[in-house]
Amino acid sequence: MRFSSVEGEQRYDALVRVASRTVVGLDFDGTLSPIVDDPAQAHIHPDAPAVLAALAEEVAAIAVITGRPARQALDLGGLEEVGDALAAVGKELFVFGQYGNERWSSSHRRIRGTRPPRGLATFERDLPRALRSAGATDAYVEDKGLAVAVHTRRLPDPEGAFDRLLPPLRELADRHGLVLEPGRSVIEVRSAGSHKGMVVHRLAEVLGAEGFLFAGDDLGDVEAFEAVEELARDGLATLRVCSASDEQSALVALSDVVVHGPVGVLDLLGRLAEDARAARTAS
């Protein structure tokens, strides 16, 4: 774990002091689960359930905020069982899928979502032509229901294919009234109706948070980091945690703490639980 500055360390200490009124928000891929070639095999790190259960005893609530469909995150993360563990200590787990367009919680175990955005069906119809024009016909296309993700990780030249695909997919998304979200060897196209920053603000308001930690790893988490900084300006204790990798460093400059991958995130969350417990028992 590396604090980005003295201020980052001070922010951590301030968060410990209000841990019982803090919401912890976590991305899924690259933060709770390692990045893998097959998105369907991105299982949560095996240590995560125990770490989250221990953390839940010290914080107000935990939320997984992901671009994945909520059902995928629940299944790959075993998050329904994690929700049971949190309920046992009187806390709640929230899962926001597809950038907040889908919602699930451990107290209301039904996924609530929105309809697919207008323009998505015609985007998918035109997508094969765009893939051919970029020489990436073998890219893996993931239909998320409310979004489409084009993965280049399995191609012989993932970075080159990504760079070639970005302009035509951006133009195609614009034409159909959709937004494009680049990530780690993936380009996602979705509705402009929601993003992770909106979820951060909503959780902080609804739960009356006095502290907010968000951990993420990719460009899709930028809005969440920006929202956390806005909460800091409003007087909340906050911490922005970057799960860094050799592939992506976009969040490093925006972070208070930099860790390496899911193992580093879990180490930080475990330390937060221990420090919060020590502060609570000492008071």
Side-chain angles (χ1 to χ4, degrees), residues 19-283:
S20 65
R21 301 178 296 283
T22 289
V23 177
V24 174
L26 304 164
D27 176 38
F28 190 85
D29 291 276
T31 302
L32 285 177
S33 71
I35 297 294
V36 294
D37 289 344
D38 183 356
Q41 299 301 316
H43 296 283
I44 198 171
H45 190 282
D47 293 342
V51 171
L52 295 180
L55 179 63
E57 297 189 31
E58 307 301 330
V59 300
I62 297 174
V64 175
I65 308 171
T66 175
R68 281 185 178 271
R71 174 45 58 190
Q72 278 189 10
L74 286 165
D75 292 345
L76 290 172
L79 295 180
E80 290 181 278
E81 291 77 12
V82 173
D84 291 338
L86 268 63
V89 295
K91 302 297 174 61
E92 189 153 17
L93 174 69
F94 299 90
V95 177
F96 291 87
Q98 307 219 40
Y99 298 89
N101 285 305
E102 295 180 329
R103 300 172 301 283
W104 177 96
S105 72
S106 52
S107 60
H108 301 284
R109 296 186 173 232
R110 179 174 172 268
I111 296 172
R112 292 171 291 168
T114 60
R115 294 181 179 180
R118 182 179 300 178
L120 188 63
T122 50
F123 172 88
E124 290 186 87
R125 182 198 65 199
D126 295 340
L127 179 58
R129 186 182 307 122
L131 295 178
R132 287 195 300 272
S133 72
T137 54
D138 291 333
Y140 171 55
V141 177
E142 181 185 8
D143 186 345
K144 296 185 173 184
L146 302 180
V148 173
V150 180
H151 298 263
T152 64
R153 186 174 297 276
R154 302 179 188 175
L155 298 179
D157 179 17
E159 293 183 7
F162 180 93
D163 292 340
R164 293 193 306 273
L165 276 170
L166 204 54
L169 292 192
R170 192 182 300 280
E171 188 277 331
L172 190 60
D174 289 344
R175 190 192 316 160
H176 293 286
L178 302 168
V179 298
L180 181 145
E181 190 80 64
R184 291 162 65 174
S185 299
V186 61
I187 301 169
E188 185 163 321
V189 175
R190 57 182 174 84
S191 166
S194 187
H195 56 72
K196 294 184 181 183
M198 294 173 64
V199 178
V200 167
H201 278 298
R202 187 185 313 156
L203 280 170
E205 179 180 0
V206 170
L207 298 178
E210 294 183 23
F212 207 108
L213 178 154
F214 186 85
D217 78 307
D218 209 343
L219 292 171
D221 299 310
V222 169
E223 288 95 344
F225 273 47
E226 293 173 343
V228 170
E229 188 59 20
E230 290 168 5
L231 294 178
R233 291 196 291 269
D234 290 338
L236 273 69
T238 62
L239 198 72
R240 298 163 299 174
V241 180
C242 172
S243 175
S245 72
D246 295 334
E247 293 184 12
Q248 181 60 262
S249 59
L251 297 181
V252 171
L254 302 176
S255 302
D256 302 306
V257 184
V258 178
V259 300
H260 190 74
V263 172
V265 171
L266 295 175
D267 285 346
L268 172 64
L269 297 180
R271 173 177 167 178
L272 176 61
E274 292 177 3
D275 289 346
R277 187 177 306 113
R280 174 169 53 83
T281 55
S283 62

